[in-house]
Amino acid sequence: MQLTLWTYEGPPHIGAMRVATAMRGLHYVLHAPQGDTYADLLFTMIERRDARPPVTYTTFQARDLGADTAEIFKTACAEAYDRFRPEAMIVGASCTAELIQDDPGGLARALGLPIPVIPLELPAYQKKENWGASETFYRLVRALSGPAPAAGAPRRGAEGRRPLCNILGPTALGFRHRDDVTEITGLLGRLGIGVNVVAPLGASPADLARLGAADFNVVLYPEIARAAAQHLQRTFGQPMVETVPIGFSATTRFVEEVAALACVDPAPVLDEHGSRLPWYTRSVDSTYLTGKRVFIFGDATHALAAARVARSELGFAVVGLGTYTREFAREVRTEAALHGVEALITDDYLDVEAAIQAANPELVLGTQMERHVAKRLGLPCAVISAPVHVQDFPARTSPQMGFEGANVLFDTLVHPLMMGLEEHLLGMFHEDREFHDGAAPSHLGPRARVPEPVNTVTVAAPAAGISWAAEAEKELRKIPFFVRGKARANTERFARERDLALITIETLYDAKAHFGR
């Protein structure tokens, strides 16, 4: 067992909770000891939900282990049904309660409740959160979507109606899932395609029973919905679209694919996409930013999409690509090979930090953990994947998907680099009469009170056995912060190879000339 400060994913019952919290009319009874009820905070404090998750905990204590914990679970189930009257119930155990092997599914069935009760078997010591969400959604769809139609039976839905699809995958606590659904629903509407059911987000058990009425399924988040969509494909013969519409090119392919399945013309939507991203390639900004080195880490869906957008649409060089979603390691390794890098498959943020330092990127795209790592290393960073914090659940609509999502993603990736250029220019002129640290803001007039100067420039600690002269440190600070780490590392390597204990300005410039050849 490894003690860690951060974790990319919780145990699988947190994934089940994300599905339950996203839906209506579904209740989750979780066999868990006192202390395993912390997950409420994820939804009420981070996602800013105005209600607690629909979860009942047994919260047994240590003294209960010598008695009948099974009876505690049965009582909790019965009381949860009497209190909430859900349309369906899922039951399972937390990672701790799993060890006492009380069989929540069998205990719940013995109660004979007049609603569907779906047992969850989520091996907490082998699997994690995204897998738990996927398995929970799959179990719900398999139990509630109905049996396969009889051989020769006509497809559901009236002839002459407009084509229908299901949107699958968005959950509670997902990165921009709410906004992605809004954007993609609007995009499909402009194509003349109706949305039959969105699930899990906003769906009820009764809605899941209507899944078979759609003509095809749109899988927005494969980590969550691929297994359920494959079941629907086998059961109802529904094809699925797995192209994730993140970025201009991927959204264009997505529109073409759904239009082909629905037998509609994609041209009106493609001609009026409203994306500003193609304009970027003709702008001055693209000339400055082409070739910028970017390191990407996150869940598989967002990491893969960010890598393709960074390389193909923004002209960046991907120098690192990885994911903590081990179930999608093959796809990430394949994409990484296209960029000439080795994929990083890990759930240890310290491994990610070491890989970032080794890659010397100019931009980091990742989770909230990479945001903290990049801040410590003095690198610009943008968050493109869960896990995230409260600031990544904005009040405004800010999708990652669709043509508007391409605009949002453009801002997300480009702005940190542009602000880095501005900070560098201010740093270059910090001794100028107008821009030095003691100068008051120009709009306040010449007699404005000047605040005490604050040194906001951070420089990483020197390597062991090597020190920097004050003049060399001052010169190093003039280098743009997004390449300062690389300059420091190269200079210290240059000094180490020549047994130099003190780095002077001359050493700094000698190293620059050496590595610039």
Side-chain angles (χ1 to χ4, degrees), residues 336-351:
L338 297 177
H339 299 274
V341 298
E342 183 177 352
L344 176 65
I345 312 297
T346 183
D347 57 5
D348 188 336
Y349 70 93
L350 294 176
D351 291 343

Side-chain angles (χ1 to χ4, degrees), residues 190-370:
R190 293 195 295 277
L191 285 167
I193 301 171
V195 175
N196 179 48
V197 173
V198 176
L201 189 64
S204 68
D207 291 329
L208 297 188
R210 298 188 294 107
L211 287 170
D215 299 300
F216 62 93
N217 294 305
V218 170
V219 179
L220 289 189
Y221 309 100
E223 292 98 331
I224 309 299
R226 176 179 286 174
Q230 288 171 340
H231 170 77
L232 293 171
Q233 188 173 44
R234 291 190 300 267
T235 304
F236 299 106
Q238 295 170 327
M240 60 178 172
V241 176
E242 279 201 284
T243 296
V244 178
I246 297 180
F248 181 82
S249 298
T251 300
T252 299
R253 290 196 305 274
F254 172 83
V255 169
E256 292 170 344
E257 288 182 29
V258 296
L261 283 175
C263 298
V264 298
D265 183 10
V269 171
L270 296 180
D271 292 342
E272 300 176 5
H273 52 75
S275 175
R276 294 171 181 254
L277 192 57
W279 161 87
Y280 162 79
T281 61
R282 303 188 296 272
S283 71
V284 175
D285 291 347
S286 70
T287 303
Y288 162 67
L289 296 176
T290 296
K292 290 296 182 184
R293 298 163 55 84
V294 59
F295 186 99
I296 302 168
F297 191 86
D299 67 53
T301 292
H302 290 91
L304 288 170
R308 292 161 185 164
V309 170
R311 182 187 66 174
S312 302
E313 301 182 20
L314 297 176
F316 295 167
V318 176
V319 296
L321 176 61
T323 184
Y324 55 83
T325 314
R326 294 184 181 275
E327 292 80 7
F328 286 76
R330 180 176 298 176
E331 288 93 327
V332 176
R333 288 193 176 101
T334 300
E335 180 67 25
L338 297 177
H339 299 274
V341 298
E342 183 177 352
L344 176 65
I345 312 297
T346 183
D347 57 5
D348 188 336
Y349 70 93
L350 294 176
D351 291 343
V352 181
E353 180 173 0
I356 291 173
Q357 289 179 298
N360 285 317
E362 295 161 282
L363 174 67
V364 176
L365 305 176
T367 73
Q368 67 165 327
M369 272 81 102
E370 283 67 54

Side-chain angles (χ1 to χ4, degrees), residues 419-430 435 480:
M419 293 306 295
L421 175 62
E422 179 178 302
E423 290 181 20
H424 170 54
L425 292 174
L426 290 175
M428 284 179 61
F429 293 102
H430 75 282
F435 294 108

Side-chain angles (χ1 to χ4, degrees), residues 1 10-15 17 28-43 52-53 55-62 65 92-100 122 124-125:
M1 179 180 291
H13 74 266
I14 298 297
M17 200 173 297
Y28 185 17
V29 179
L30 183 64
H31 202 21
Q34 190 176 41
D36 265 9
T37 58
Y38 58 88
D40 282 16
L41 301 176
L42 296 174
F43 302 95
R52 289 184 59 191
V55 181
T56 293
Y57 305 92
T58 56
T59 57
F60 60 84
Q61 300 179 47
L65 295 176
S94 73
C95 46
T96 310
E98 181 184 328
L99 299 174
I100 62 176
L122 307 177
Y125 298 97

Side-chain angles (χ1 to χ4, degrees), residues 42-51 390-395:
L42 296 174
F43 302 95
T44 56
M45 295 184 67
I46 295 180
E47 197 176 2
R48 296 169 169 158
R49 285 187 170 259
D50 58 0
V390 63
Q391 63 264 46
D392 293 303
F393 289 96

Side-chain angles (χ1 to χ4, degrees), residues 442-453:
S442 58
H443 68 281
L444 297 181
R447 298 185 180 180
R449 181 178 177 273
V450 180
E452 290 296 322

Side-chain angles (χ1 to χ4, degrees), residues 391-407:
Q391 63 264 46
D392 293 303
F393 289 96
R396 69 187 185 281
T397 300
S398 185
Q400 291 284 286
M401 295 186 176
F403 291 119
E404 184 58 29
N407 290 334

